[in-house]
Amino acid sequence: MNDTRAAGNGEGAGGFVAPEGFRLLPGHFDRSAQQALLDEIRAVVVEAPLFTPVMPGTARPFSVRMTNCGPLGWVSDVSGYRYQPAHPVTGRPWPALPDTLLALWRALAPGARDPQACLVNFYGPEARMGLHQDRDEADFSAPVISISLGATAMFRLGGTTRKARTRSLRLASGDVVVLGGAARLAYHGIDRILAGSSTLLRDDGRLNLTLRRVTD
Ligand code: MD3
Ligand code: FE
């Protein structure tokens, strides 16, 4: 195993200490569980096609395509970022949250109310996500839970201010990350996708699912 991953929550190169509440569960889903979850997400994408969000104000398109399942979904368009109950293109309600994801949330976020949104991010080989905080939710007491499928991503995790030092970690297919406590408001992003790192999806595709509680 590579040292960056083995270091887990501990102190990494350069004295970076992950924020309290950050938990990486490498290989939480084995290959057959990844395949089963992928089949469920493909069914979601049939009902709620991937769309290309744009940046508020500038209308610059994201390189990541998105969809959602659950009662609410996160969208970004020229007027802003928000959660809404319907798909921005089809106008239909988002598909239901798969049971596997609800069970994962209940196991890893005991005591938190059930998630209301699962944002599905699809990365092609050139897609990236800039450093940002997730703060469009009214409730930061519940964690965010992330599941990665397909190509490995170079994930950047910082602190709760933009200038805090950051660390790079690999997120591989089947990995789960729990962002609770102080980590819930940590800056983070995806620097790049590693070509040839997984055979789960073709053409170095990657899916990331994030489960979120939205309202308090
Ligand atoms: C740290 N997604 O959807 S997953 C996002 O791989 C997002 O698609 C990335 O950032 C992706 O907002 C990163 C890991 C992750 C997700 C949510 C977090 C890390 C987080 C929320 C708070 C802090
Ligand atoms: Fe995020």
Side-chain angles (χ1 to χ4, degrees):
M1 175 172 303
N2 130 352
D3 287 336
T4 307
R5 303 191 74 204
N9 298 350
E11 188 172 336
F16 177 94
V17 177
E20 171 276 317
F22 171 81
R23 239 177 115 193
L24 170 61
L25 307 173
H28 182 82
F29 289 105
D30 67 14
R31 177 72 182 209
S32 71
Q34 291 168 38
Q35 191 59 245
L37 189 51
L38 176 59
D39 291 345
E40 295 194 286
I41 298 306
R42 286 201 203 282
V44 165
V45 172
V46 169
E47 271 190 75
L50 292 167
F51 61 92
T52 302
V54 301
M55 287 298 290
T58 65
R60 181 169 192 240
F62 284 46
S63 61
V64 174
R65 292 191 294 152
M66 298 179 174
T67 190
N68 293 268
C69 52
L72 292 173
W74 187 87
V75 301
S76 179
D77 64 18
V78 72
S79 58
Y81 308 125
R82 65 192 169 275
Y83 284 91
Q84 62 181 44
H87 189 288
V89 178
T90 69
R92 293 195 301 263
W94 304 107
L97 192 74
D99 288 341
T100 320
L101 295 178
L102 191 55
L104 179 77
W105 176 275
R106 289 176 178 171
L108 295 180
R113 280 175 304 156
D114 282 345
Q116 294 167 303
C118 176
L119 174 60
V120 177
N121 293 149
F122 175 76
Y123 294 76
E126 302 298 321
R128 284 157 169 56
M129 190 177 287
L131 203 67
H132 67 278
Q133 287 176 300
D134 289 15
R135 45 185 321 145
D136 298 323
E137 303 77 24
D139 184 359
F140 299 139
S141 67
V144 171
I145 296 182
S146 142
I147 305 103
S148 292
L149 295 171
T152 298
M154 298 302 296
F155 170 61
R156 186 162 297 280
L157 179 65
T160 52
T161 64
R162 190 174 274 284
K163 68 189 188 82
R165 58 191 318 159
T166 65
R167 167 177 175 191
S168 178
L169 291 137
R170 286 170 163 73
L171 294 182
S173 196
D175 289 0
V176 170
V177 184
V178 183
L179 297 309
R184 176 66 182 76
L185 288 172
Y187 278 85
H188 59 280
I190 296 294
D191 290 342
R192 64 192 178 92
I193 300 302
L194 300 184
S197 51
S198 172
T199 57
L200 189 75
L201 294 177
R202 58 177 69 242
D203 299 333
D204 298 314
R206 171 174 187 264
L207 284 165
N208 183 264
L209 319 176
T210 48
L211 298 168
R212 296 132 185 274
R213 178 80 203 174
V214 178
T215 62
D216 57 16

